[in-house]
Amino acid sequence: MTIKKTLVAQTAFALALAVPAFAQDAAIDVNGDSMYSYAELAAVLPDITDDEFIALDASGDGLLDAAEIAAGQEAGLLPS
């Protein structure tokens, strides 16, 4: 299994156990910018690692936008 596949599998497993329901939510997006920072996401998914967040951050800007969140949910990396 490649490192990337291993990371994806571990991320999916950890995040699936972390929170039963997850959606782009004002309670998570504490600064109201419609993006999730690592700190905001880690507050509700305490087991998420930097590497897992980086894997979700397709744009590489250090924030997850709605499309990245949706892609993470569709891939099973984030709870829906």
Side-chain angles (χ1 to χ4, degrees):
M1 187 177 270
T2 67
I3 293 173
K4 186 173 182 178
K5 285 183 182 178
T6 301
L7 177 62
V8 169
Q10 290 172 343
T11 300
F13 179 74
L15 293 176
L17 295 177
V19 176
F22 180 85
Q24 197 158 7
D25 183 328
I28 299 169
D29 181 19
V30 295
N31 66 357
D33 66 354
S34 299
M35 310 271 278
Y36 291 167
S37 67
Y38 176 77
E40 289 170 326
L41 200 60
V44 296
L45 300 173
D47 293 333
I48 192 168
T49 67
D50 290 332
D51 289 338
E52 292 165 341
F53 185 86
I54 290 167
L56 293 166
D57 182 15
S59 67
D61 64 357
L63 299 168
L64 300 183
D65 61 23
E68 291 165 328
I69 292 165
Q73 290 172 320
E74 289 173 19
L77 302 177
L78 292 173
S80 36

